[in-house]
């Protein structure tokens, strides 16, 4: 399950399901396009699994979304990355404002915790398509639960 969520309220804005394990980065463009078709996004926080110049280029130049992704992928070296945006991340990631913004990325981990705690961590479906459907339904159910919580508070 790959999700793009709103850090302020834990609502899932876009999701993709598939059989893993697989690299996270292959879902980056799909998730961002799906979310942008429904809502405006100013800043995107992504974990190091999405660290690639093409992710930054897609987010910033194609979608006009500021991307903050820690520059951690690749072999450790003193040399700066060759890509424009990854070089920018290396230069600015340790600054307080960038770190503070990125500090909210853990909210997606809260979303996964809520999903597992409230709706269970196991799937009961047997076929691949049914498992995909079950994951989608769990995410929709969690979004409804979050909406009801805000409605009743």
């Amino acid at each position: 399950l790959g999700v793009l969520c709103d850090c302020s309220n834990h609502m899932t804005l876009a999701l993709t399901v598939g059989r893993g394990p697989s690299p996270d980065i292959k879902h980056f463009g799909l998730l961002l396009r799906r979310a942008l078709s429904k809502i405006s996004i100013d800043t995107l926080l992504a974990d190091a699994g999405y660290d690639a110049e093409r992710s930054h280029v897609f987010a910033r130049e194609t979608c006009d979304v500021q991307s903050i992704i820690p520059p951690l992928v690749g072999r450790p070296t003193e040399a700066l990355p060759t890509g424009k945006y990854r070089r920018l991340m290396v230069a600015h990631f340790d600054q307080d404002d960038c770190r503070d913004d990125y500090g909210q990325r853990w909210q997606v981990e809260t979303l996964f915790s809520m999903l597992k705690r409230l709706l269970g961590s196991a799937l009961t479906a047997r076929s691949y398509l049914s498992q995909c459907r079950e994951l989608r339904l769990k995410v929709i159910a969690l979004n409804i639960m979050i909406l009801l919580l805000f409605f009743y508070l």
Side-chain angles (χ1 to χ4, degrees), residues 8-112:
S8 67
N9 57 25
H10 302 113
M11 292 289 291
T12 300
L13 305 175
L15 68 98
T16 183
V17 293
R19 188 165 281 159
S22 66
D24 292 339
I25 198 163
K26 74 179 193 176
H27 306 296
F28 183 83
L30 176 67
L31 288 170
L32 186 54
R33 275 193 307 272
R34 284 181 179 171
L36 286 171
S37 71
K38 307 278 188 274
I39 191 168
S40 173
I41 298 173
D42 296 324
T43 304
L44 176 75
L45 311 173
D47 68 13
Y50 297 100
D51 179 30
E53 187 67 18
R54 70 179 183 264
S55 298
H56 289 289
V57 169
F58 180 76
R60 291 171 181 250
E61 295 177 8
T62 305
C63 300
D64 196 31
V65 173
Q66 179 186 359
S67 56
I68 300 176
I69 306 171
L72 301 175
V73 170
R75 188 171 285 157
T77 178
E78 294 298 318
L80 290 174
T82 57
K84 172 183 173 182
Y85 297 113
R86 289 193 74 233
R87 184 179 291 248
L88 183 71
M89 284 292 105
V90 168
H92 296 287
F93 196 74
D94 287 331
Q95 294 179 355
D96 287 339
D97 57 340
C98 191
R99 277 265 184 220
D100 289 345
D101 288 342
Y102 187 74
Q104 292 302 306
R105 197 214 62 83
W106 66 270
Q107 299 288 353
V108 74
E109 303 302 335
T110 299
L111 173 113
F112 281 115

Side-chain angles (χ1 to χ4, degrees), residues 120-141:
S121 60
L123 298 178
T124 57
R126 292 180 182 241
S127 74
Y128 173 69
L129 291 176
S130 294
Q131 290 170 350
C132 292
R133 187 177 325 122
E134 185 176 350
L135 280 171
R136 286 185 190 100
L137 289 172
K138 282 186 176 202
V139 171
I140 291 168

